[in-house]
Amino acid sequence: ACGGSGGGTTASEAPSSAGASSEAPKSALKVGLAFDVGGRGDKSFNDAAYVGLEKAKTDLGAEIKDLSPSSDGSNRGELLRQLADAGYNPVIGVGFLYDNDIKTVAAEYPEIQFAVVDSLSSGPNVTGLQFAEEQGSYLAGVVAANKAKNGHVGFVGGVEMDLIKKFEAGFVAGVKSVKKDAKIDVAYISADPAIGFKAPDKGKVAADKMFQDGAEIVYHAAGDSGTGVFQAAAAAGKKAIGVDSDQRETIKDAKLQPVIMTSMLKRVDVGVFEFVKAFQGGAKGGNNVVYDLKVDGVGLATTGGEIDDLKDKLDAAKKDIVDGKITVPSKP
Amino acid sequence: MSADTLATAKPAVELEGITKRFPGVVANHDIRITVEPGTVHAIVGENGAGKSTLMKILYGMQKPDEGTIKVNGAEVSFRTPSDAIGVGIGMVHQHFMLADNFTVLENIILGAEPKNVGFLDISAARRRITDLAGAHGLRVDPDRRVEDLGVGDRQRVEILKVLYRGARILILDEPTAVLVPQEVEELFQNLRELKSEGLTVIFISHKLDEVLDIADAITVIRRGTTVASVSPSEVTARRLAELMVGSELPTPETRESTVTEKVAVRVSHLTMDAEGHRTVLPKGVSAEGYAGTLRAEGRRLLLDDVSFDIHEGEILGVAGVEGNGQSELIEAIMGLRPAIGGIELNGADISSWSTLRRRESGIGYVPEDRHRQGLLLEGSLWENRVLGHQTRRPSKSGIFINRRAAKADTERIVKDYDVRTPGIDTLALALSGGNQQKLIVGREMSGEPKFLIAAHPTRGVDVGAQAAIWDHLRNARAAGLAVLLISADLDELIGLSDTLRVIYRGRLVAGLDPSDVTPEQLGGYMTGAIAGTEET
Amino acid sequence: MTRLSKYHLALIGFAVLILLMSLIRIVTGYDDITSSGTFAAALGLAVPIGLAGLGGLWAERAGVVNIGLEGMMVLGTWFAGWAGYQWGFMAALLAGLIAGALGGLLHAIATVSFGVDHIISGVAINLLGPGITRFLSETFYKEGTSAAAAGAGLTTSPGMSSQAPEASLPLLSSGPDLLGMLENTHIFLLSDLAGILRGLTHDVNVLVIVAVLMLPLTFFVLWYTAFGLRLRSAGENPWAAESLGVNVLRIKYVAVVISGAFAGLGGVFLVFITSKYVEGQTTGRGFIGLAAMIFGNWRPGGLAAGAALFGYADGLQQRNSGAVTSFFLFGAVLLLIYIGVKMRGMLGSNQPAELVTRASREYTLMAGAAVGAVVLVWLWLTVDKLPNEFVFITPHVLTLLVLLVASQNLRMPAADGVRYRRGEQH
Amino acid sequence: MPAGLYRALLTFAGAVAAIVLAIAISSVAIIAAGASPGDAFAAFFNFGATDRTLATGLAAMINRAVPLFIAGLAVAVGFRMNLFNIGVEGQYRLAAICAAYVGTVFVGPSWLQITVIILVAMVVGGLYALIPALMKTGRGVSEVISTIMLNFIAINIASFLVRGPFAGQRAEGQLANTTQTLPQSAWFPNLNWIFGAFGLPAPRGGGLWGFLLVAVVLGVVLWVVLERTRFGFDIKASGLNATAAVASGVNAKKMVISAMVLSGAIAGLIGLPEILGDKHAFNSGFTPGLGYLGIAVALLGRNKPVGIAIAALLFGFLDRAQGPLQIAGLPSSVIVIMQGTIVLLVVIANEITGRIAVRREERYAARQLGRNTPVEVGA
Ligand SMILES: Nc1ncnc2c1ncn2[C@@H]1O[C@H](COP(=O)(O)OP(=O)(O)OP(=O)(O)O)[C@@H](O)[C@H]1O
Ligand SMILES: Nc1ncnc2c1ncn2[C@@H]1O[C@H](COP(=O)(O)OP(=O)(O)OP(=O)(O)O)[C@@H](O)[C@H]1O
Ligand SMILES: [Mg+2]
Ligand SMILES: [Mg+2]
């Protein structure tokens, strides 16, 4: 099914239309998307982007193409160019690691619109799709603080880097907003993305420790390593909070689902779809679009109904943030 | 002895028309040998004649291209050594086939392990080995590590390995090459005993006296073919040699002395501690005193206060059973192993110099083991010519290797030393052992060395090449070269040396005059049977 | 030194180690140094390393260097995930084992039959492993497949349909959990021992038990059976073995295939922990297993110690990044002990030569050790928390340090890594 | 036919056979994945429709090959003397971040600044390689193990440096860690004029990296060093027979140290083409893994500069097809499978052809000398 919908036409059509594609009419909307390392099917970040892309296909009738980089990510720039040359417009890069490449490539193809997820606009034809992870994490913190009777919670980050620190900062702020004296354990798994997001066993070790020390709820932003956090929670009979997508849905393991109290949603799909839609509507780049609580670009999943009782508190917190009464820090 | 049974018994081994070809070489061609049971049957022939190949065929390690093998009258066809072992054949190889890190016991039982519900039955094995060793007078400690054993012990382990498998036919491929006369005599005693028990022995040696001594029958192989079967009572060593090569045996006789007054090399109080790493003496301590202290402490010394002079034009022969410090001595002189004491070359103290500097200052080195220390087997001949001469003309020019000059000089060596090769770009591994050795000798003699260390310069080299190498040594000596000769071949030592020393447990125990010493006497010193006295 | 005293020495060393750990726990206040949680984590982290190390041991004892363990482990993870989601944990175990063994077979074909340099073939397999698994994911887990519906993606398999059971010691580490109670008393030495024991016996995955049993089993097979003797002979002197009728080629094949199977099993273990395949989850453990084996002098016991050291350091840093600073204190204490032992030795010996020849070298060493100890104590006193990047590398640095101290006494099989061809003396 | 030429031809034939076989195996995989190998191989040669895309594709391929070539050289220096520097990975990362940092601190005329950056990279790489060298010569620690450990350590140190001491200014909301962007004076001029010479338009992006020239010079120099100098001879001798080399006066420890440091110094350059030619900073997106790939490239190229160049270009060619393969709806991981099988098969082919060549040489030698031609002995 990989590219099955668009593949047939692309192969014959792309080369001939390559040069003239910049002025493609709206009826021939062709959206290209380049994933971050890991590629489509990672059940996470990249897949969320793909959901948005597919929505663009069904809802907007776009022809879509998605490419995954090589495992070392050395060909991000090439993928963007290959998409641009094949007549795709707009072209989206998923992940902040694209910021450099989008910048150069966008300059080479001024007639094409680009978007980069998790980073800033770097040119008149580049839209930065940013997400207020700290705001969503703040709500996760509110949940954790309210649910943890003893006021002891934890956070497991996959890789020690700024993106993940945004999650940590928001979460800590959220917890503190409810319980000033809460105990918050923080652990990171690695400095190397090749390890940190892919070591569920280490995620489990870190979370085990927190649960053993008395934490009741642990929030993770650790990619695949998060599975280990859920396992630790299940083993300890405690709870965990998922990240990015509604993990109570996407984690198919029946034993783990009940421990996932909620998930902090990062609606990359919304970001991607809205960007394509705006493009179709004639929008041009050069600006950053922040997907925050206001536009429901981040939020909490309610599957399982475990946080339904906190609805009022969460709505209040959300309102405060949206209204600007609370500014959530993005650095710990 | 078993003469009356001979008439009725079938031959122990019958080889009929054996032919074996290797790429480009016919190692064996239509070989016919009949070995009577209960005898010692010797096989002689020059290097590369095909003796080892034939034995490997008989032991199932190689498959013959043609021909039949009969053992005790029945035709056999071996795929692996286990088939041969199965019909009672055992082989002691030309080179030791022992795992150094294993115990004697483990080496012996390997492949024929006694088992007790799936596990090794070590105690049964130990009992069996002790019994066997006692019965045949082959004393060894089954629990010692092979790496700690001397050559004589290793040889015994090899024979025990064969007997342990209940072999009735023993193949011994040059078992005496590394033994001194006393050990040889001991071995022969064992062989005679085995023979009296009805075992059959096939025996290979280049030492024709030994062959005449032990063999009941002799087969001569030349260029892969059996050329004669003789009885030892009918031939002399000289006649045998002629059968082997079709020419006269060369001798290493050399009597007219060229020794000068000038000391070329002076080694004083050379001492090497088995565990020590230090190469520099503490202040105020002499090497001699240091050796004494270490000895008093009960340290194992590989070299113990070794001192000697070699004059220009002199060949100093060092005799000794392998493992008594010869290797350490030459490696210390070459700077390959740290030792304490003085080494002077033409008056300059070189004991703290690097190997490279020593070589540059005019030391040539023919190593013991040419494959390990002497050659780049996968390198061409001219590259091998450069080896050890990287920093000297004609091989170098500035930081570069002067390929043209190196090649030209290789051509010279090939010509002067009669290295049989299709060309100087040939890889060294394509040459026969003797030709490899000639190349090494030629290389080490180039650049007019002042001092040559020659360790076993003719080991495994056939008679023709042997003579050539001896000639070169003699000529260089006449031109003033000082030579330190180490050899297991006592005839070579006695014949070539101007002065003889015996090394025993790291000490020089005797100085002998080669003109009036016999191999037997020499062997007595070498094994410690005759207590050493410093003469000369 | 006799066998017995060596054994006793090891025991004494072990006791001293626990005593030291207990002391340091008290001094620093980091309970995690001997907590059951740390030891449970250490066990879990050590097992895949140990299994990879066993793989290395089997191959290298037969004379084949296997640097391709990582690639074989990767194959093991993928197939364990693939079989696990369909048929449960037993199938996962078998599939991972077989996949690793097939990787081993490839290595055997290249090195044993074709005489390819062992390192080279291993590197190629490390390249192939991830390539093949990615390709398999692209093929079997693509959108629209039933696997994808069950949660598979390019980088993960669906969850396993059944989990491997876990076991605990009755009474002691489960139920009343006596050890756990003892551990929480924080009594010097007693609670430490309880913590260690409990960590190693509480909720232990069956595969852990299997893996641990593999160590003595390997030891017995390799050192006390005919097959083991033959296998080791192939690593010490294959030509001798061949001349005694041992089928060296077959032995090497068997050894390398078993080696791959162990690596595959290491991969299975990772999948068991995760309950699914995750791309890249081996994170270099094949290499570390190899290091553990060298560290352990090509012996099962030593290899276990190497894996344990790495697992412990990794577990501790993962659980409590602050506790890592107590390694400074630990190192300082070890250096002081070293100095003490040396001093005694020097004062006790009145042999002049010993003094004359060794003294200056010894003094330099001791002075170095003293300076090191001071620096370490200073670091321990001043450094409150290391940057995480320096915490993460704790196990690697420790391994390097121990290798630096121990390496000169290591002895690898004599014919390890040597090309062997039938009928050809080298 | 001269032996050397024969060996070369045989090697070449072996490599070709191995590649053909690898293609066949990959085809089976592609078919198993339900796709057509024909389409796949078309994708490999699909460089787009225009001259511009052709030039861009070629540049991408060569740009990929440049660091791989340098990595291969770095690895090969050690491999030639059986010294397995698996640590190229760590050496180049550490060197790259230090060089990128120094490039922002030290600003001077373009030529001087670039020279300084190159030197810093080489020094850092060489020094980091000195650690395993000293551990080996001093304490006998196997370099395979120590370099693997040091890789983990280097990756962490690099990530600490780029996050902390060497971090540059960032816009609010920019998440990638990065050093300060290099001033223009440190940008290596590109070689796009080469395309002009062939009548092609300039490729897009950073164009053809000018560092290619440095790599070519490096390759030539290294060839001379390895094949023509005494040092190269000592390396070769140590690799062929270490004990014989020592007996011939080669200082084994010195060789280990100098070969390792040289290898590390070359490794230091691996990251520079990308930094000087394209990214102009060391950031989170810096390409990892080139050290490990370098091992494969060196093996494929038989540790010889020319072979390594060919191998690097082959890898570059294969890697470039990542995009086209996916655009054609084919599994792009077939590339990695191809790379792996090619390496394994080429190595096996080397082994076989090498044996054939030796056999032939022996036969030839034997025939020349008439050794052991059977003598007829009258019965
Ligand atoms: N495996 C082999 N491959 C190719 N040629 C071989 C092989 N083994 C032996 N030969 C060749 O066969 C010939 C006979 O060798 P063999 O070892 O049998 O001689 P030998 O009589 O035992 O010599 P020596 O006295 O040196 O032991 C040699 O010339 C050698 O070139
Ligand atoms: N295993 C082998 N494979 C290929 N060729 C071999 C082999 N063994 C021996 N040869 C060939 O045999 C010749 C040398 O054989 P060999 O070593 O038996 O010679 P030699 O004169 O007996 O010397 P040495 O006494 O050192 O054994 C060379 O041509 C070599 O290529
Ligand atoms: Mg021979
Ligand atoms: Mg022979």
Side-chain angles (χ1 to χ4, degrees), chain B residues 105-391:
Chain B
L105 183 143
E106 287 175 321
N107 267 293
I108 291 176
I109 64 172
L110 179 60
E113 304 86 354
K115 278 171 234 168
N116 189 1
V117 284
F119 289 105
L120 284 178
D121 192 345
I122 299 283
S123 51
R126 193 177 292 122
R127 241 177 292 125
R128 174 103 197 279
I129 291 170
T130 321
D131 288 352
L132 263 182
H136 299 288
L138 298 160
R139 282 164 294 96
V140 284
D141 176 358
D143 293 315
R144 282 189 71 184
R145 254 172 220 289
V146 165
E147 62 187 339
D148 300 328
L149 299 183
V151 268
D153 283 337
R154 288 179 193 223
Q155 194 66 271
R156 279 190 279 279
V157 176
E158 288 281 17
I159 296 175
L160 272 175
K161 263 164 65 174
V162 172
L163 296 177
Y164 184 86
R165 284 162 179 70
R168 304 289 297 166
I169 300 166
L170 269 63
I171 303 167
L172 304 179
D173 193 352
E174 295 199 40
T176 57
V178 293
L179 303 182
V180 294
Q182 276 74 6
E183 288 179 313
V184 171
E185 196 37 55
E186 224 174 283
L187 174 70
F188 283 4
Q189 211 50 54
N190 291 330
L191 291 186
R192 291 197 184 95
E193 207 166 299
L194 294 174
K195 188 168 78 172
S196 71
E197 289 161 22
L199 273 69
T200 309
V201 178
I202 300 175
F203 178 83
I204 295 174
S205 175
H206 287 290
K207 299 179 179 169
L208 302 181
D209 300 339
E210 293 173 3
V211 169
L212 293 175
D213 181 10
I214 188 79
D216 299 310
I218 302 173
T219 298
V220 183
I221 296 186
R222 193 200 312 164
R223 305 182 91 185
T225 309
T226 35
V227 290
S229 285
V230 293
S231 155
S233 53
E234 295 161 4
V235 289
T236 60
R238 194 149 286 273
R239 175 67 193 133
L240 260 188
E242 282 166 12
L243 280 172
M244 279 164 55
V245 293
S247 68
E248 292 236 330
L249 256 188
T251 51
E253 280 315 293
T254 159
R255 280 292 84 102
E256 70 289 5
S257 174
T258 58
V259 182
T260 62
E261 284 304 298
K262 191 154 175 285
V263 173
V265 180
R266 167 164 291 161
V267 168
S268 42
H269 310 299
L270 203 61
T271 301
M272 187 187 287
D273 182 1
E275 295 125 56
H277 307 290
R278 259 189 97 85
T279 50
V280 187
L281 272 182
K283 269 198 206 81
V285 180
S286 71
E288 199 177 359
Y290 179 72
T293 329
L294 289 177
R295 214 177 300 130
E297 275 180 30
R299 292 279 183 76
R300 200 161 78 84
L301 296 183
L302 300 175
L303 289 178
D304 186 347
D305 201 8
V306 171
S307 303
F308 57 80
D309 288 348
I310 308 177
H311 298 84
E312 286 186 1
E314 178 181 0
I315 297 183
L316 173 73
V318 173
V321 177
E322 224 164 290
N324 274 284
Q326 299 93 317
S327 320
E328 288 78 9
L329 176 62
I330 53 181
E331 289 186 5
I333 297 177
M334 284 310 295
L336 296 170
R337 286 181 72 162
I340 291 162
I343 305 167
E344 283 175 29
L345 181 65
N346 291 331
D349 180 7
I350 62 165
S351 59
S352 59
W353 291 8
S354 68
T355 303
L356 182 65
R357 187 146 174 228
R358 293 179 203 213
R359 294 197 82 123
E360 284 172 346
S361 69
I363 304 185
Y365 178 48
V366 178
E368 298 182 81
D369 181 337
R370 56 179 166 260
H371 285 181
R372 222 172 65 79
Q373 289 197 304
L375 289 170
L376 307 176
L377 282 175
E378 287 150 70
S380 62
L381 294 196
W382 72 263
E383 283 171 317
N384 275 288
R385 162 67 185 83
V386 175
L387 189 70
H389 294 251
Q390 296 97 306
T391 56

Side-chain angles (χ1 to χ4, degrees), chain A residues 99 103 118-122 130 162 288 330-331, chain D residues 168-181:
Chain A
D99 63 359
K103 187 176 169 185
D118 271 351
S119 196
L120 305 172
S121 166
S122 50
Q130 290 183 289
D162 289 3
N288 296 319
S330 55
K331 288 199 180 83
Chain D
Q169 296 285 322
R170 281 184 292 169
E172 185 64 37
Q174 191 192 336
L175 293 170
N177 283 312
T178 178
T179 59
Q180 198 70 45
T181 303

Side-chain angles (χ1 to χ4, degrees), chain A:
Chain A
C2 174
S5 52
T9 42
T10 320
S12 56
E13 212 174 85
S16 56
S17 64
S21 67
S22 53
E23 299 305 323
K26 279 181 187 139
S27 58
L29 178 63
K30 290 176 72 180
V31 187
L33 182 140
F35 290 115
D36 201 351
V37 175
R40 174 135 71 90
D42 71 346
K43 297 281 144 192
S44 167
F45 192 59
N46 287 319
D47 273 2
Y50 186 68
V51 169
L53 189 66
E54 272 202 316
K55 188 154 188 276
K57 180 173 142 198
T58 46
D59 291 8
L60 310 176
E63 182 189 326
I64 60 174
K65 176 57 72 185
D66 58 290
L67 301 182
S68 304
S70 56
S71 59
D72 60 7
S74 58
N75 59 346
R76 291 192 186 92
E78 283 166 65
L79 295 185
L80 296 174
R81 288 188 191 97
Q82 279 161 359
L83 285 170
D85 284 336
Y88 291 94
N89 186 15
V91 172
I92 304 162
V94 182
F96 67 82
L97 291 176
Y98 273 96
D99 63 359
N100 233 332
D101 291 306
I102 292 258
K103 187 176 169 185
T104 30
V105 176
E108 292 161 25
Y109 299 87
E111 71 285 5
I112 291 180
Q113 286 295 321
F114 291 87
V116 55
V117 174
D118 271 351
S119 196
L120 305 172
S121 166
S122 50
N125 54 339
V126 181
T127 308
L129 304 178
Q130 290 183 289
F131 292 84
E133 294 93 348
E134 71 280 9
Q135 294 183 357
S137 301
Y138 183 93
L139 295 186
V142 171
V143 169
N146 275 299
K147 291 282 183 177
K149 296 279 165 307
N150 63 357
H152 189 169
V153 297
F155 171 79
V156 174
V159 175
E160 186 157 26
M161 58 187 196
D162 289 3
L163 174 62
I164 305 300
K165 294 210 153 184
K166 275 171 89 176
F167 290 81
E168 180 198 336
F171 180 70
V172 169
V175 172
K176 291 256 161 92
S177 74
V178 178
K179 282 203 181 86
K180 272 227 143 32
D181 56 345
K183 187 166 186 306
I184 308 167
D185 294 332
V186 175
Y188 284 90
I189 292 173
S190 176
D192 185 356
I195 295 178
F197 293 133
K198 302 186 164 196
D201 56 339
K202 296 191 172 183
K204 182 162 185 291
V205 168
D208 268 340
K209 156 82 176 160
M210 294 172 183
F211 288 126
Q212 280 161 16
D213 285 355
E216 307 229 316
I217 295 168
V218 174
Y219 171 44
H220 88 85
D224 282 329
S225 303
T227 316
V229 175
F230 298 145
Q231 285 171 334
K238 307 271 176 74
K239 293 281 177 178
I241 299 176
V243 78
D244 284 351
S245 56
D246 183 358
Q247 293 202 282
R248 193 160 178 148
E249 287 275 313
T250 54
I251 295 274
K252 306 280 178 183
D253 190 332
K255 271 202 293 305
L256 299 186
Q257 279 171 350
V259 307
I260 306 172
M261 173 174 276
T262 177
S263 297
M264 199 289 279
L265 301 176
K266 177 174 172 184
R267 303 298 303 270
V268 178
D269 52 341
V270 173
V272 168
F273 176 75
E274 291 297 332
F275 165 73
V276 177
K277 203 168 134 190
F279 169 83
Q280 203 178 25
K284 293 274 177 261
N287 59 325
N288 296 319
V289 184
V290 181
Y291 289 86
D292 54 11
L293 280 176
K294 188 159 36 181
V295 297
D296 284 328
V298 292
L300 291 181
T302 53
T303 313
E306 294 198 34
I307 57 167
D308 290 353
D309 53 335
L310 296 176
K311 190 167 185 323
D312 295 345
K313 288 181 182 165
L314 290 172
D315 284 346
K318 179 175 169 182
K319 186 162 184 318
D320 284 351
I321 295 171
V322 171
D323 294 348
K325 275 198 218 136
I326 300 175
T327 317
V328 184
S330 55
K331 288 199 180 83

Side-chain angles (χ1 to χ4, degrees), chain B residues 501-519:
Chain B
R501 295 297 195 91
V502 177
I503 192 166
Y504 181 66
R505 298 205 171 151
R507 283 181 79 79
L508 289 186
V509 294
L512 305 166
D513 182 352
S515 56
D516 58 34
V517 71
T518 63

Side-chain angles (χ1 to χ4, degrees), chain D residues 14 18 20-21 30 39 46 50 88 99 123 140 173 193 202 220 240 242 246 267 286 294 302 308 310 313 315 369:
Chain D
V20 169
L21 197 56
I30 292 170
D39 292 352
N46 177 3
T50 63
V88 169
V123 168
W193 52 268
V220 172
L240 289 179
V246 170
F286 183 73
R302 308 191 84 202
I308 293 170
I310 296 171
L313 281 170
F315 268 48
L369 307 174

Side-chain angles (χ1 to χ4, degrees), chain B residues 47-48 370 429-434 460, chain C residues 423-424, chain D residues 359 362 371:
Chain B
N47 283 123
R370 56 179 166 260
L429 51 77
L431 262 54
S432 79
Chain C
E424 259 177 44
Chain D
R359 283 269 178 282
E362 278 172 2
R371 268 203 299 150

Side-chain angles (χ1 to χ4, degrees), chain C residues 197-247:
Chain C
L197 272 180
R198 181 173 185 275
L200 301 182
T201 56
H202 177 71
D203 278 354
V204 177
N205 193 301
V206 277
L207 193 48
V208 174
I209 300 172
V210 171
V212 171
L213 286 180
M214 283 300 159
L215 291 164
L217 187 71
T218 295
F219 182 66
F220 275 108
V221 169
L222 290 189
W223 273 269
Y224 288 99
T225 67
F227 170 71
L229 182 67
R230 292 175 186 204
L231 189 145
R232 286 185 298 123
S233 76
E236 295 287 344
N237 188 341
W239 302 277
E242 174 194 331
S243 80
L244 294 176
V246 174
N247 190 336

